Amino acid sequence: MNRSAPTALAHTWTFFRQWLKNPLGMAAISPSSRQLARQMMSELPRGARRVVELGGGTGVFTRALLDSGIAPADLLVLELNEELHQHLQRHFPNVQVACADARDLAEVASARGFGPDAPVDAVVSGLGLLSMPKATQQAILTAAFDCLQPQGRFVQFTYGPANPVAREVLEALDLNARRGSFTWWNVPPATVYVYSRRVSRAITPRSMR
Ligand SMILES: C[S@@+](CC[C@H](N)C(=O)[O-])C[C@H]1O[C@@H](n2cnc3c(N)ncnc32)[C@H](O)[C@@H]1O
């Protein structure tokens, strides 16, 4: 994130206070690093124009998405925590930021013109998917892939040693998982994963599924 050290410190403090209140919900003790944000952005499809971000936090990925050329009006951010939602609205006044659960993405996106009728190129997730029950993972990925265009990607990071999405969920939704890059320069170190529809599904029209 291209910001001064005092601002970065203030954002870290904002994040940490929310972690103290709800460690499981936050799933991390501090915001992602700029290095991890760069690695997440490198997995956006070429020419990506419209993006949904899940779990915006203090906005590390939001800033990186704007810096990588996504127009504010083409970015929808969902954040469940009310204080962080307000923080994001303050710092990114031109981006659509919803205080909402990622499981409700389909409704939130439709209401804001990002729904299945106007699909997005990528969903960038900062959610702690690894610690979520399988049913929650499946609900979030179902909603995300309903918003994504056929070749769209779901870009995620994890602190764990393996793919954070349960195999059963990948099978149920017919998704491929690809391991991206790893960085030590994050607290804790993290690996990027990219999910996409398996080929047969990516070319099957919605009406025939
Ligand atoms: C690990 S933090 C990542 C924040 C930020 N993207 C970053 O990388 O620094 C996870 C964020 O997801 C939010 N969150 C957790 N569960 C959520 C849900 N079901 N829907 C939307 N946001 C959620 C948390 O409030 C928190 O801000």
Side-chain angles (χ1 to χ4, degrees), residues 15 25-28 30-32 53-61 78-81 84 100-103 126-128 132 140 157 159:
F15 194 103
M26 290 302 290
S30 65
S32 295
E53 182 189 351
L54 302 178
T58 49
V60 175
F61 296 161
L78 272 68
E79 171 52 60
L80 189 56
N81 177 296
L84 293 176
D101 192 316
R103 284 176 289 188
L127 301 172
M132 292 181 180
I140 291 171
F157 69 88
Y159 306 129

Side-chain angles (χ1 to χ4, degrees), residues 30-204:
S30 65
S32 295
S33 67
R34 287 163 56 184
Q35 169 72 9
L36 177 56
R38 268 195 297 276
Q39 289 177 207
M40 294 284 283
M41 298 308 118
S42 75
E43 295 290 359
L44 292 175
R46 192 185 296 271
R49 202 175 64 78
R50 287 161 57 75
V51 176
V52 166
E53 182 189 351
L54 302 178
T58 49
V60 175
F61 296 161
T62 315
R63 168 58 58 207
L65 283 161
L66 298 176
D67 290 348
S68 73
I70 305 298
D74 290 329
L75 177 56
L76 170 64
V77 183
L78 272 68
E79 171 52 60
L80 189 56
N81 177 296
E82 176 55 35
E83 274 189 55
L84 293 176
H85 166 250
Q86 284 175 15
H87 172 100
L88 289 165
Q89 280 192 314
R90 255 193 330 276
H91 288 274
F92 304 98
N94 299 321
V95 173
Q96 299 206 49
V97 185
C99 188
D101 192 316
R103 284 176 289 188
D104 299 327
L105 173 61
E107 299 84 68
V108 176
S110 285
R112 293 173 181 251
F114 283 76
D117 296 333
V120 299
D121 303 302
V123 174
V124 169
S125 167
L127 301 172
L129 275 189
L130 181 62
S131 55
M132 292 181 180
K134 283 178 202 161
T136 307
Q137 290 189 349
Q138 184 154 338
I140 291 171
L141 282 158
T142 300
F145 276 88
D146 277 350
C147 283
L148 278 164
Q149 58 161 304
Q151 309 296 335
R153 293 179 182 178
F154 185 99
V155 184
Q156 175 71 44
F157 69 88
T158 183
Y159 306 129
N163 164 26
V165 177
R167 181 165 297 284
E168 296 93 310
V169 174
L170 296 179
E171 290 304 319
L173 302 184
D174 212 7
L175 299 178
N176 269 325
R178 174 170 62 77
R179 190 186 168 102
S181 51
F182 168 83
T183 180
W184 287 105
W185 299 106
N186 194 69
V187 181
T191 305
V192 176
Y193 275 84
V194 182
Y195 302 92
S196 52
R197 292 182 179 94
R198 289 180 184 154
V199 175
S200 58
R201 205 168 158 99
I203 57 173
T204 308

